[in-house]
Amino acid sequence: MIYANQVRKSFGEKEILKGIDLKIEKGNVFGLLGPSGAGKTTLIKLLTGQLPADGGETRILGKEVEKLTGKDKKKIGIMMDNFGLYERFSCYENLQIFADLYGVPKNQIVIKLKEVGLYDSIKTPAMKLSKGMRNRLQLARVFLQEPEIMFLDEPTSGLDPANTEEIHSLILDKVQRGCTVFLTTHNMVEAEKLCEKIALLHEGNIVEQGHPKEICRKYNHQKKIYIHRYDGEDEELSNNSIAAERLYRLMQEEQIETIHSTEPNLESVFMELTGKSLNV
């Protein structure tokens, strides 16, 4: 559904993307993780035809991006920051503009506003919406065209946990119906929850990619087990056959209150590979 081969992009003398390779299958959620300025938004703009690449190959829906027709583009939904919001227009009026552009029946406007939980705000101008409500209105605009592919650029940035959870549920519902999602984020918890595959982007290069849990296991160098006993004491065991007897005895005696492995998270993997945080 989404393909990139050695894609490059520069602005002036600054090289933003330095040869990106991606292959995303239908019905998957792909996460592109990286700090601000890593090139995530630029890559979305290249893949959706908003910017021309300086080199390499990009394909969407099996076609070269520059050869996509208007009919093809209706199958692609894009959510980027305030992209597609008209501040003085109500929620209904915002969607009405795009319903006219996409040839979507007007009754779908109310259906989509209900779907994202904005029916009670149908007459509220976009400028008066909270951050979470604005994000849901943007998703309603994307959902309006029933896209086969959704590009979502930091869809939960700045949201509280409750709004984040609602956005996640909306995204996963579309995926279950066969939609393919390209998600950019610097939130490792979001990536681990939503994505079948991720890529870590650093200064224009993909430094690692794969399933989130597989990446974390790959960089589990310590291979330790930490145990907290009911008597308040802690133990550290090597994750190997030598420690098996001790672990078995503690379990038999029901002394273990909590047990954890040293498997790293995506944040610590990114730190190891780049020396920098995902949340810069």
Side-chain angles (χ1 to χ4, degrees), residues 78-79 83-84 95 98 137-145:
I78 307 170
M79 175 184 174
F83 180 79
L95 295 194
F98 290 93
L137 180 57
Q138 287 180 289
L139 278 177
R141 179 185 56 76
V142 173
F143 294 168
L144 192 63
Q145 63 198 88

Side-chain angles (χ1 to χ4, degrees), residues 178-243:
C179 189
T180 303
V181 176
F182 186 106
L183 172 79
T184 73
T185 182
H186 59 260
N187 185 327
M188 61 182 178
V189 175
E190 181 168 77
E192 290 173 345
K193 177 181 178 180
L194 298 180
C195 303
E196 286 89 359
K197 185 177 180 181
I198 64 161
L200 302 178
L201 185 66
H202 174 62
E203 295 181 351
N205 292 298
I206 291 179
V207 295
E208 186 61 271
Q209 60 180 310
H211 189 281
K213 291 188 181 300
E214 290 175 357
I215 290 176
C216 291
R217 286 195 293 268
K218 179 179 177 180
Y219 290 88
N220 184 12
H221 307 305
Q222 289 184 301
K223 292 184 171 59
K224 299 284 187 179
I225 297 174
Y226 292 116
I227 295 169
H228 181 73
R229 304 198 310 249
Y230 280 110
D231 62 9
E233 296 296 318
D234 294 314
E235 288 192 37
E236 178 183 306
L237 303 174
S238 296
N239 192 355
N240 55 36
S241 58
I242 298 174

Side-chain angles (χ1 to χ4, degrees), residues 64-81:
E64 295 177 22
V65 169
E66 57 270 24
K67 295 181 180 179
L68 292 175
T69 66
K71 185 177 180 180
D72 295 326
K73 292 178 180 178
K74 286 183 179 180
K75 300 176 182 178
I76 302 169
I78 307 170
M79 175 184 174
M80 302 179 68
D81 198 17

Side-chain angles (χ1 to χ4, degrees), residues 2 13 32 37 47 51-52 62 113 119 157 170 221 228 247 271:
I2 304 172
E13 296 183 357
L32 185 64
L47 291 172
L51 285 174
L113 288 173
Y119 180 72
S157 178
L170 291 169
H221 307 305
H228 181 73
L247 181 61
M271 283 284 292

